[in-house]
Amino acid sequence: MRARLLILAAATTTMVVVAFLIPLALLVRSLARQNALNDGLRQSQAVVAGLQAIGSVDDPKALEAVVDPPGQPADPITSSVVMPDLTTWIGEVPPDPFSASLTLAAGTPAVGVRQVNVSYEGGLEIWNPLNLNGKTVVVRTFVPASKVRHGVNADIAILIAVGLGMLAVAMLVADRLAQRTARPVVALASTANRLSAGELSARAPIAGQREVIEVGVALNRLAQRINELLDDEREQVADLSHRLRTPVAAVKLAAEGLPKSPKAAR
């Protein structure tokens, strides 16, 4: 009984923990992706602001200083600028310099998109078109997969640890409850065994759940009834013995009073 209660508690708690862990893990991944995208957007807007401050595309060195400022600490998020011809790059040239997202961000007469956010090699690309003195340049900011997934595994590991902790606590509580539930039942079984062994004074403790208490009361009534029936049987045997003793004694006396003869001997 105790083992079954523990199995039931473990199965129920596991289902609840899994039902919470899966959405939380997805939420952690989504938040990490959104945070990475926000960091990329901030850097992209910083580059756009720097280019707007320059106001033209005629000074490549000034553009490069905006894209990759000297003395800036290393950052996994990188930016580059494609010139109006859509083939010349300032800064790091992406692995796919002729991406369809570039054409989309630069805008066509049919599209005219202002900003494009796309996934690329597990990371994120942010394309921002910018008009400088009548010429369109496109700022590409790349957020690598390491940034997108930063801290996700650690957070999921923490969630799993918390889930296992909840399962352990639930099992501990279930074990205590199972002990409290099983203890009165074990006491009932012990009382029944003592009664079957002839210990008619044995009585079951009245404790536990309502159903267990009812069984204990019924078992005690049964033991009391057995004692009453045995007492009645003893009284009937004693009475029967008394009733038989008187006529037998009279017959014995009558037989002894007969004169000696074969009939008297018989």
Side-chain angles (χ1 to χ4, degrees), residues 37 41 44-45 101 104-105 112-117 125-129:
L37 178 60
L41 289 173
S44 178
Q45 293 299 324
S101 301
L104 183 63
V113 177
R114 293 302 303 167
Q115 178 177 300
V116 178
N117 301 333
E125 281 186 329
I126 304 170
W127 299 86
N128 262 318

Side-chain angles (χ1 to χ4, degrees), residues 188-202 219 222-223 226:
L188 288 178
S190 175
T191 302
N193 291 330
R194 290 165 60 192
L195 289 174
S196 65
E199 188 180 345
L200 301 181
S201 61
L219 183 61
L222 176 62
I226 291 174

Side-chain angles (χ1 to χ4, degrees), residues 43 47 51 62-69 72 79-81 90-92:
Q43 180 164 325
V47 173
L51 294 178
L63 297 179
E64 187 172 355
V66 171
V67 172
D68 189 12
Q72 184 177 8
S79 295
S80 55
V81 178
I90 302 296
E92 181 179 347

Side-chain angles (χ1 to χ4, degrees), residues 33 37 40-41 44 78 89 94-97 99-102 115-128 139-144 148:
R33 182 182 178 86
L37 178 60
L41 289 173
S44 178
T78 59
W89 289 86
D96 186 9
S99 169
S101 301
L102 171 60
Q115 178 177 300
V116 178
N117 301 333
V118 294
S119 298
Y120 182 74
E121 295 184 349
L124 297 171
E125 281 186 329
I126 304 170
W127 299 86
N128 262 318
V139 178
R140 174 190 181 265
T141 301
F142 180 64
V143 184
V148 174

Side-chain angles (χ1 to χ4, degrees), residues 9 13 31 33 38 84 128 130 162 173 178 209 220 266:
T13 306
L31 289 176
R33 182 182 178 86
N38 292 337
N128 262 318
L130 178 64
V162 172
V173 174
Q209 303 296 325
N220 290 340
R266 182 176 60 82

